[in-house]
Amino acid sequence: MTADSPVAADSPVAADGPVAAGTDAMTRVRAVRHLYARRGDRATVQGRAYLAYLVALFTVFYLVPVVHAASTSPALVPLGSLARATPVACALVIAACWSAQLAGRFWGPLVMQPFVLHVFMSTDLPPTSYLGATVRRRLMYVAAATLLSTGTAAYLTTDLFHHLDTAPAGLALALGLSAVTAVAWLWGQVRPVRDNLALAAAALAVGLAATLLGRSVPGGGGEAGGGGSGVGLWLLAGVLLTAAPVLGRSAFRSVRTVDLARLARESARAAQAQTYAMTGTLHHALDLYRPEPRGFTSALLRADGRLRGHLSQGVVRALRTPARASAAVLLLLIGGGVLTFGAAGAQTGPALSYRVAGAVCVYLGSGWLSETWRGLRDELTLAPLLGERWGGMLARTLLWPVVAVTAAMVPGVGLVLLTEGTLPGGGPVGTLLLVAGALVLVLGARFLREMKLNLPLSLLLPVITPLGDLSGLLFLAWQFDGLVAVVLGILVMGALPDALGAFALALGLALWFLWRGLRRAGWAHRGLFSRLGGRV
């Protein structure tokens, strides 16, 4: 270490603390972490006891009854055989691998407290000495959490673990999935973009190969409650268990070459986002991870200096963040197909789950495709500064997201209607009415979410009920109000017997979301509609 570094061997901290001259790197790293933990944010015995108390209450009063009910009732998503479970497992593996890589690009396992990272970077310690232990511990936590969550979800929703001939394959798949998810999380942070694209393509290829192999083996269908062939599922589990240590070793080797300057910026941004989330402004925390627009700085203007049309402006703004726009289009395509598949089926059961999943994908993609939502919120909240009478504000700002979301959903909707038109339901007209109602509901929920301002003080007050204080539940509902509105709206639509009534309900909910969003922006007084539609 240098003489002026924060934890140099001959510094007062080293002389008075547990670090002495000539100690190894691991001892010095532990000394820094010990000194930082004594700053006052160390977990107390009372805090750990309270956490254990909450876990015990959750286990006794929720988890045990739910597990008992799942073991004594028919499965929500019956798989029946290993061959039928293979496509679902492949889709889960691909989604988990891609999600872990994407999470690593924004908030990876190497992110730590900015102060501690600055101290380590000011020393002569190699990155592996102070990052290695943190990475191993966090990957172990992520793998354990993934194993518990996927295993519990599979047990509660499917019958994969209800039979002795299918449980071993399911357990092997859960182990491989948890290991690969943890490794992909590190891989996404330490490896370059081309390596991440190669891993994503490899996960897709393995999933498709396992699905095709499971379908091509004779007897792969199996009987209900039997194991079936299961070759594809066992192959998938074997590939995951084999690839996890290989990818993990390669990822750990890349830790020593990590860009410390970029890691410092990521850690500072993560600390700021965590502060925002803890103080109640989660949307401000998410804003820190929005991509910076690049290019097309003068494309919004025509050659004569006038602004382009509303749709042209939306296209230009979307192209300024191509990766985000591509992800949004992909989500809208998938969401449109899944939503149509669920709308063409029955109103309850797995079809309703497909409708909820598709609507959630469309909700996420509708926000990623356009920055107009944020511009509309700024225009509404800054109305006293920029003038009261603006010409066609809603038409100018909402034209692009409505048209773009609808156009991006059309290929997925059309593909499902052409290939799965024989599913039971209300026919093509009823299916289109349900899809249109879900689209209107999603756009209304997106408007409600984007009009959100700072945290209301009323949510910080306790709400005493016979079931306890529900202020925390209201706080979470406010944080994710758009997502909650979409899920509850689709469930209520699914309870109606006809498609026309569901569409009318969705339209009414969307109008109510629009009114609530305008009230959030302070536009709830007399003269609202004349202000929105007035001319300059």
Side-chain angles (χ1 to χ4, degrees):
M1 286 186 181
T2 59
D4 56 349
S5 61
V7 287
D10 55 350
S11 65
V13 174
D16 299 337
V19 182
T23 55
D24 58 346
M26 186 56 64
T27 303
R28 294 154 67 190
V29 170
R30 291 175 179 173
V32 173
R33 295 189 181 278
H34 178 72
L35 292 176
Y36 181 79
R38 295 174 61 184
R39 293 164 57 93
D41 54 354
R42 176 188 291 182
T44 61
V45 178
Q46 294 82 357
R48 294 192 179 96
Y50 182 69
L51 179 61
Y53 169 73
L54 294 180
V55 172
L57 286 181
F58 175 80
T59 303
V60 173
F61 292 100
Y62 180 78
L63 187 60
V64 173
V66 170
V67 170
H68 177 71
S71 61
T72 56
S73 61
L76 180 63
V77 184
L79 298 176
S81 65
L82 293 179
R84 292 182 59 187
T86 301
V88 180
C90 292
L92 179 62
V93 169
I94 294 172
C97 182
W98 290 359
S99 301
Q101 288 180 263
L102 186 62
R105 300 298 298 179
F106 294 97
W107 197 320
L110 298 181
V111 172
M112 62 174 58
Q113 296 91 344
F115 174 78
V116 179
L117 182 61
H118 172 71
V119 171
F120 285 134
M121 290 172 57
S122 303
T123 65
D124 61 344
L125 293 172
T128 53
S129 62
Y130 54 86
L131 295 177
T134 301
V135 169
R136 294 185 183 90
R137 183 174 65 255
R138 291 180 177 177
L139 293 189
M140 182 179 63
Y141 292 160
V142 169
T146 305
L147 178 62
L148 291 176
S149 59
T150 54
T152 304
Y155 183 82
L156 295 179
T157 59
T158 68
D159 55 354
L160 187 62
F161 291 100
H162 294 180
H163 309 285
L164 294 178
D165 49 355
T166 59
L171 180 60
L173 178 65
L175 291 173
L177 177 63
S178 61
V180 168
T181 301
V183 171
W185 186 36
L186 176 62
W187 187 278
Q189 185 177 20
V190 300
R191 304 293 292 188
V193 176
R194 62 177 182 275
D195 292 346
N196 280 275
L197 294 178
L199 179 60
L204 179 61
V206 170
L208 294 178
T211 302
L212 295 177
L213 183 62
R215 289 181 177 271
S216 61
V217 173
E223 299 295 335
S229 172
V231 176
L233 195 64
W234 279 109
L235 173 65
L236 182 63
V239 170
L240 294 179
L241 292 174
T242 304
V246 177
L247 295 176
R249 184 178 180 85
S250 178
F252 273 105
R253 287 180 177 177
S254 302
V255 173
R256 67 171 64 96
T257 61
V258 67
D259 187 357
L260 295 179
R262 183 172 67 89
L263 181 59
R265 294 192 298 269
E266 292 178 356
S267 299
R269 185 175 57 178
Q272 187 178 2
Q274 187 175 9
T275 302
Y276 278 144
M278 292 177 63
T279 55
T281 53
L282 183 60
H283 57 290
H284 289 164
L286 295 177
D287 288 344
L288 295 174
Y289 290 92
R290 304 177 78 93
E292 293 290 338
R294 297 179 180 179
F296 300 100
T297 54
S298 60
L300 294 176
L301 301 176
R302 295 190 178 97
D304 56 359
R306 295 183 297 111
L307 282 174
R308 296 186 180 273
H310 303 331
L311 291 178
S312 301
Q313 293 182 38
V315 172
V316 170
R317 290 191 176 98
L319 293 178
R320 296 185 68 186
T321 54
R324 185 168 180 260
S326 302
V329 172
L330 181 61
L331 271 176
L332 291 173
L333 289 173
I334 297 175
V338 174
L339 178 61
T340 309
F341 184 81
Q347 294 294 95
T348 58
L352 187 58
S353 302
Y354 286 127
R355 290 172 59 183
V356 171
V360 170
C361 291
V362 175
Y363 171 78
L364 296 176
S366 64
W368 294 356
L369 190 62
S370 175
E371 290 288 333
T372 311
W373 301 107
R374 294 164 54 82
L376 176 60
R377 182 185 65 189
D378 294 338
E379 289 189 35
L380 289 173
T381 54
L382 296 178
L385 294 179
L386 303 180
E388 292 286 344
R389 300 179 59 84
W390 301 344
M393 181 197 308
L394 291 181
R396 184 178 71 250
T397 53
L398 296 183
L399 181 62
W400 161 250
V402 172
V403 173
V405 171
T406 305
M409 288 179 57
V410 167
V413 173
L415 180 63
V416 173
L417 288 178
L418 291 176
T419 58
E420 303 290 347
T422 59
L423 288 176
V429 177
T431 301
L432 290 177
L433 279 176
L434 291 176
V435 173
L439 175 60
V440 171
L441 177 68
V442 165
L443 292 176
R446 171 58 64 179
F447 181 84
L448 177 67
R449 183 254 182 260
E450 294 300 336
M451 293 302 107
K452 186 188 302 180
L453 300 177
N454 294 326
L455 176 69
L457 291 178
S458 59
L459 294 179
L460 301 179
L461 300 177
V463 180
I464 306 301
T465 65
L467 301 178
D469 185 9
L470 298 183
S471 59
L473 184 61
L474 295 179
F475 176 77
L476 290 177
W478 182 84
Q479 295 280 23
F480 304 98
D481 54 356
L483 191 61
V484 172
V486 169
V487 174
L488 293 182
I490 295 297
L491 293 179
V492 174
M493 289 175 59
L496 298 181
D498 60 304
L500 184 59
F503 176 79
L505 175 64
L507 183 59
L509 289 176
L511 292 176
W512 187 72
F513 293 155
L514 179 63
W515 173 253
R516 294 296 303 177
L518 292 175
R519 289 197 61 180
R520 284 183 173 181
W523 284 58
H525 53 77
R526 185 176 301 176
L528 169 65
F529 296 101
S530 62
R531 292 171 63 191
L532 291 176
R535 297 181 178 179
V536 178

